[in-house]
């Protein structure tokens, strides 16, 4: 039932947002250059890798040694606008239709995090990842990794159709009010290095 719901709703949303899906690529190409899409390998159900797609939100500016400049420099006002209203996430509707992810589930993180999870934290991969999830409506990037993983595992243990409906509704409210987009003091969430160690992570 969840897969059928994902297919129907993601298709309807894709049709609804199709004008933006046409306009945004032109704006990204003009303001940020190419490539238009940010493509990255992420772990899906049971840790199986798939390619996640987003609209690009950062420039490719580098220093004289070829290293990326800080997120604060590379993330332009246009990129911030896309993130503020989650417009950069729209290509993930294609991931949902392909069956890589669901509309609701723990957010797919990075492949290099897999060996860092505790046995309890790894339970987040017992379900398909999602565009939005229980952690996203309860703090998103403004909460710690441990809090985020606890919320993800709670969802895995308590998932239901009614809970998914609640998460979708609350996600719409969060997007409208632009809550929890960034970790305090950072443009992006710090990367996970184990339960008690984090360093700054950059994204496309």
């Amino acid at each position: 039932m969840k897969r059928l719901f994902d297919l129907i709703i993601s298709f309807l949303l894709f049709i609804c947002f199709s004008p933006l899906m046409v306009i945004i690529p032109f704006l990204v190409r003009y303001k940020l250059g190419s490539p238009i899409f940010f493509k990255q390998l992420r772990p899906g159900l049971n840790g199986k890798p798939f390619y996640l797609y987003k609209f690009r939100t950062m420039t490719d500016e580098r220093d004289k040694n070829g290293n990326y400049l800080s997120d604060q420099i590379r993330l332009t006002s246009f990129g911030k606008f896309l993130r503020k209203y989650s417009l950069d996430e729209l290509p993930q509707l294609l991931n949902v239709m392909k069956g890589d992810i669901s509309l609701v589930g723990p957010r797919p993180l990075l492949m290099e995090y897999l060996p860092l999870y505790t046995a309890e934290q790894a339970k987040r991969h017992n379900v398909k990842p999602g565009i939005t999830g229980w952690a996203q409506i309860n703090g998103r990037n403004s909460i710690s990794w441990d809090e985020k993983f606890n919320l993800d595992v709670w969802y895995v243990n308590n998932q239901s159709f009614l809970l998914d409906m609640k998460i979708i509704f609350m996600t719409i409210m969060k997007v409208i009010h632009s809550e929890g987009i960034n970790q305090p003091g950072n443009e992006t969430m710090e990367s996970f290095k184990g339960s008690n160690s984090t360093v700054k992570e950059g994204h496309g």
Side-chain angles (χ1 to χ4, degrees):
M1 181 177 178
K2 183 167 184 173
R3 176 59 182 150
L4 180 60
F5 178 80
D6 283 343
L7 280 172
I8 293 173
I9 299 302
S10 61
F11 178 75
L12 292 176
L13 288 174
F14 187 85
I15 296 300
C16 179
F17 288 111
S18 58
L20 288 176
M21 296 287 281
V22 172
I23 295 171
I24 292 176
F26 285 101
L27 294 176
V28 171
R29 179 66 179 84
Y30 175 73
K31 292 179 176 292
L32 302 176
S34 60
I36 293 170
F37 295 99
F38 173 70
K39 172 185 174 183
Q40 191 174 57
L41 202 62
R42 299 285 180 95
L45 178 64
N46 299 319
K48 181 180 178 181
F50 71 97
Y51 279 106
L52 183 80
Y53 294 93
K54 296 183 180 183
F55 285 124
R56 182 179 171 194
T57 58
M58 290 187 180
T59 67
D60 276 336
E61 294 175 273
R62 302 172 186 257
D63 61 23
K64 62 182 180 180
N65 296 318
N67 300 313
Y68 282 117
L69 297 180
S70 67
D71 292 349
Q72 287 85 351
I73 295 175
R74 296 171 54 221
L75 186 59
T76 65
S77 58
F78 174 67
K80 290 178 181 178
F81 174 82
L82 292 180
R83 290 188 179 196
K84 180 179 181 180
Y85 295 103
S86 296
L87 296 175
D88 60 319
E89 310 276 359
L90 287 177
Q92 289 173 49
L93 292 173
L94 295 173
N95 284 120
V96 175
M97 286 187 276
K98 285 175 58 184
D100 297 327
I101 64 176
S102 180
L103 289 172
V104 178
R107 283 292 295 160
L109 301 174
L110 302 181
M111 294 297 296
E112 54 260 41
Y113 292 175
L114 291 179
L116 302 178
Y117 296 137
T118 65
E120 185 69 11
Q121 291 169 348
K123 290 180 180 178
R124 69 191 309 278
H125 292 291
N126 290 347
V127 298
K128 280 186 181 181
I131 293 180
T132 187
W134 189 238
Q136 276 59 53
I137 64 169
N138 284 285
R140 199 173 174 181
N141 288 337
S142 64
I143 58 177
S144 70
W145 280 112
D146 285 343
E147 290 173 309
K148 186 177 295 188
F149 293 145
N150 287 338
L151 291 167
D152 286 341
V153 173
W154 185 91
Y155 172 79
V156 172
N157 294 331
N158 295 275
Q159 59 179 315
S160 68
F161 181 75
L162 288 179
L163 179 59
D164 283 1
M165 294 299 97
K166 178 180 179 180
I167 291 172
I168 290 174
F169 173 77
M170 291 184 69
T171 296
I172 295 171
M173 296 297 101
K174 292 286 184 179
V175 170
I176 291 174
H177 295 290
S178 304
E179 296 178 0
I181 296 172
N182 298 323
Q183 192 176 47
N186 294 307
E187 295 293 347
T188 57
M189 185 71 179
E190 290 182 332
S191 65
F192 180 63
K193 293 294 181 181
S195 293
N196 296 310
S197 177
T198 57
V199 297
K200 189 73 175 295
E201 171 190 356
H203 292 282

